[in-house]
Amino acid sequence: MSDHEVETFESADAGASLTYPQQAGTVRKNGYIVISGHPCKVVDVSTSKTGKHGHAKCNFVAIDIFTGKKYEEMTPSSHNVDVPNISRKEYTVIDITDEGIVSMMDESGNTRDDLFLPTGTDENDKLAEIMKDHWSNDKEMAITVLKAMGQEMINSVKVVNDKAA
C-alpha cells in the first residue's frame, strides 16, 4: 500500500482547453482563429474553388487581438483550424499607479493588480490615455479584460458615474 504515490495537482482550472477545433469553411469574418500560435480576429476570408487536387481553400487575413499584428493563413476548407477560447470579464478600476499598473475589483469583491495599461498599438495607447484622463478627473470606470490563450489585456473602458459631479 505504501508503494503508491499520491498525485497532487498544482493547477486550479477545470482543464479547459485554450483552443477548440472548427472546420475552416465555417469560420467567418469577425470570427476568431489561431494563426502561428497567436489568437486573431478574422478581418477577411476568401474561398477559392475546388481545383484539380480536390480541396477548396480558405484564405484568412486576421489581426492579433493583443498586438495588432496582421497574419495570413491558407487552409483547405474541409480541414479543422484552431479557434481560441476567448473570455471577457468586467472590473471596476480601483487605482492606476504611476508605473501603469491597474488595480481592479470584480463584482464579487475580489481585487487584482497584475495588469498594466494597454500598450503596443495606436488603439491601445489611445485607450491607456483615456483611462489616465478619466482617473485624473476622478471618474469611476468599468473596464473589460479580454483573456485568450493564457494572455490578458484591458480591452475597453466606460465611465460608470462621475465622482466629481
Side-chain angles (χ1 to χ4, degrees), residues 76-118:
S77 62
S78 59
H79 290 199
N80 283 348
V81 293
D82 284 334
V83 176
N85 277 321
I86 294 178
S87 65
R88 289 176 179 81
K89 190 166 182 182
E90 287 222 351
Y91 293 91
T92 303
V93 176
I94 301 170
D95 186 26
I96 299 175
T97 66
D98 294 337
E99 295 85 31
I101 299 170
V102 181
S103 295
M104 56 198 122
M105 179 172 61
D106 65 12
E107 62 273 353
S108 306
N110 301 319
T111 60
R112 57 182 286 196
D113 49 358
D114 57 348
L115 285 180
F116 286 87
L117 287 168

Side-chain angles (χ1 to χ4, degrees), residues 146-161:
L146 186 71
K147 181 178 182 177
M149 298 182 69
Q151 286 183 287
E152 288 182 300
M153 184 182 79
I154 297 169
N155 189 37
S156 66
V157 62
K158 62 184 176 194
V159 175
V160 177
N161 62 10

Side-chain angles (χ1 to χ4, degrees), residues 8-160:
T8 57
F9 297 99
E10 301 299 319
S11 176
D13 67 7
S17 177
L18 298 176
T19 63
Y20 61 92
Q22 183 175 340
Q23 193 171 356
T26 63
V27 176
R28 299 283 170 241
K29 187 176 179 179
N30 293 327
Y32 294 94
I33 186 173
V34 177
I35 299 178
S36 303
H38 300 275
C40 301
K41 185 170 187 166
V42 178
V43 291
D44 188 42
V45 181
S46 57
T47 307
S48 63
K49 294 197 186 236
T50 314
K52 66 179 181 180
H53 297 292
H55 289 288
K57 301 255 193 304
C58 293
N59 187 36
F60 297 102
V61 178
I63 296 183
D64 188 314
I65 58 177
F66 295 115
T67 64
K69 189 175 175 192
K70 189 181 200 178
Y71 290 95
E72 290 190 42
E73 182 169 297
M74 188 170 272
T75 310
S77 62
S78 59
H79 290 199
N80 283 348
V81 293
D82 284 334
V83 176
N85 277 321
I86 294 178
S87 65
R88 289 176 179 81
K89 190 166 182 182
E90 287 222 351
Y91 293 91
T92 303
V93 176
I94 301 170
D95 186 26
I96 299 175
T97 66
D98 294 337
E99 295 85 31
I101 299 170
V102 181
S103 295
M104 56 198 122
M105 179 172 61
D106 65 12
E107 62 273 353
S108 306
N110 301 319
T111 60
R112 57 182 286 196
D113 49 358
D114 57 348
L115 285 180
F116 286 87
L117 287 168
T119 58
T121 65
D122 290 342
E123 193 175 304
N124 288 345
D125 292 341
K126 205 177 295 180
L127 183 61
E129 285 304 315
I130 290 168
M131 287 179 67
K132 284 191 237 174
D133 184 50
H134 287 335
W135 186 252
S136 64
N137 291 323
D138 286 334
K139 293 182 180 177
E140 191 175 323
M141 293 175 281
I143 56 172
T144 303
V145 175
L146 186 71
K147 181 178 182 177
M149 298 182 69
Q151 286 183 287
E152 288 182 300
M153 184 182 79
I154 297 169
N155 189 37
S156 66
V157 62
K158 62 184 176 194
V159 175
V160 177

